[in-house]
Structures are given as structure tokens and as C-alpha cells.
Amino acid sequence: MSVSYNVAPMHRTEFDETGYTLVRGLFSIAEAEHLRDHYMDLRRRGPRAHDFAGNTVTDRDPLKRYPRMAQMHRWDDESLQWMIDPRLDEVMTSLLGRSPYAVQTMLYFKPPGSRGQALHQDNFYLKAEPGTCIAAWMALDRVDQANGCLEVVPGSHRWPILCTEKADTTVSFTDVTVPLPSTAGAVPVEMEPGDVLFFHGALVHGSNPNTTTDRFRRALIGHYIQGEAERVAQYYHPALRMDGTELPLEVAEGGGACGEWTDTPEGPVALLTGTESTHRKHE
């Protein structure tokens, strides 16, 4: 199904106010099940380019048995066709005002017992300039708090890119996170197969471990950048228009100013007083 224009203003308002919006049933359950089976089959065939399992994995780590896949659209046509699907383009064009550029696909398997991902902001990695990136996060299973659904901090898209600090790698497969002020907290987003969550590149988000014994939390993610962007980090080249054609962009450099929380009479404010020294090629 496609998103009709009579509901698009509601999604746009929610996106502007909170930094994210959930479009339920954008893809059918049958489509989600087909993609889930497709990626499980690809995973069974063995290692692929851009596979990676995160930080300090061990042989007993479920994430080593089911490592994330990235940039599948470069060698898998089903991934490419999903990435540039007109339904995704329609929603993001409504949210952003113009069609975005596509730069990444990812598949998270998140098997039972696996760690989550510490709170982070996507544009820390993509470094889209000017503007920001946007994610389309599609559930392939039912996702809830037990199997480690995505959690988001409403309104954090108005913050700058924050300075990172060390994460607890006993619960997160990534080793950096961003601090939150005491006035902010993450809220869970429970989803059904085929639902798609769209969120801003500065939105703070992450997930807790999958505490179930028998349920995966598989998700297919596309990362995009605003159509006026001129630069993106090297890992995400080449960028694609939503018709699948490539376009040349400049390479965004790493480092730079980052936000640190400062107490003021009006409450904590993230001021660009820090300098980011941690470098991550991609996430």
C-alpha cells in the first residue's frame, strides 16, 4: 500500500515535532515475510562483503553467528529495489520537501540473547552536509521490548551532534554512546512486520538486548540524505537517486565540534563546546 496524501500531513507534523514518525503497514506482511526469508537464506550462504559483527564479539556471541549485513544493495537486486521503493520515496519526499538520495542498506538479525545498540545519532557516522540524513527502519518481525525494539528520544533531533562517551559493551555491541540530560529519556517503538519508522539523522536512538530465547528481531534499514546534501562520508559513496542512478557527491571529513550538556536556568542545553575525537567510518 502507499501512503495517501490525506495522512501525510499528520506524519509530517509528527516528524517535525518529535524527529520520527511511524507509518504502519507501508509494506504488507507478505512482503516483510518474503524479505525475512530472503535475508535468512543469504545469511546461510556464508560471509558477504560488508558483514560485521560489532565490538569485542566472542564465539558464544549470537551476533557472530548472525552478523549484520550492510550495503547489500550493491550486490543484491532485492535490496536495491527495496531501497528505492516508491513508497519510501513518497513518504520521505513528504517529510523533507524533496526526494532524498539513498546511501546505505543494512540488515540486523538480532537473534535471541544478543546485545542491543547504545544510544547514538546516525549523522555522527554519515556526516551529511548540508542538512542531515534520514533512516527508514522496517520491521521484518514483530518487535517489542522483550526482543529489543528500537527506542527513541522524542525531540532530540533538535540537538546538535553530541560528543560521544564509552558505552557498556556487555549490553551494547557498539562501544560509544551519547549522554542524555536528566530531563530526557528513550521511549520504545513497538512495530509489526511491514511497519516503517522514519527518523531524523540527529534523533538519539538505540535498543536494549534481545532477552527472548526464541525470537529474532530482524529489521531492514535504509539510510538516506536530504536532496540538497553535497557531501557524505566516504563509506556511503556512491549515492543513488531514487530512480537508482548514481550521482557524484563530495566526501565529508570527520571530526569537528560536538555538543556537551551545560546547565542553564532554563535547563540543560547542548552547547558546541566539545571536539569530537572518536572517528567511526560507518554504523
Side-chain angles (χ1 to χ4, degrees), residues 101 103 225 227-232 237-240 247-251:
Y101 301 144
V103 295
I225 59 177
E228 61 268 30
E230 299 172 357
R231 295 174 292 280
V232 69
H237 290 249
L240 303 178
L247 77 156
L249 293 176
E250 297 178 20
V251 174

Side-chain angles (χ1 to χ4, degrees), residues 27-53:
F27 290 80
S28 69
I29 293 176
E31 287 175 302
E33 290 176 343
H34 169 77
L35 286 166
R36 184 180 65 204
D37 293 344
H38 174 68
Y39 289 112
M40 290 299 283
D41 181 58
L42 291 181
R43 182 74 290 157
R44 281 190 290 268
R45 296 182 190 180
R48 294 280 180 167
H50 299 283
D51 282 356
F52 54 119

Side-chain angles (χ1 to χ4, degrees), residues 96-196:
L96 302 173
R98 61 182 287 184
S99 184
Y101 301 144
V103 295
Q104 186 181 35
T105 46
M106 299 181 73
L107 196 290
Y108 283 75
F109 292 92
K110 199 165 188 178
S114 60
R115 290 171 291 169
Q117 184 173 11
L119 293 173
H120 63 283
Q121 296 164 295
D122 285 346
N123 210 40
F124 171 77
Y125 301 94
L126 279 82
K127 304 186 186 304
E129 302 168 349
T132 188
C133 59
I134 183 172
W137 198 102
M138 177 177 167
L140 301 185
D141 297 291
R142 185 178 195 284
V143 297
D144 50 40
Q145 293 183 69
N147 67 355
C149 65
L150 207 65
E151 298 191 354
V152 299
V153 180
S156 58
H157 65 302
R158 298 190 183 95
W159 301 346
I161 297 301
L162 299 169
C163 302
T164 59
E165 60 185 30
K166 185 172 175 56
D168 180 356
T169 54
T170 65
V171 294
S172 169
F173 69 82
T174 51
D175 61 352
V176 295
T177 188
V178 294
L180 297 182
S182 59
T183 54
V187 298
V189 182
E190 297 194 345
M191 301 168 63
E192 298 294 334
D195 294 349
V196 181

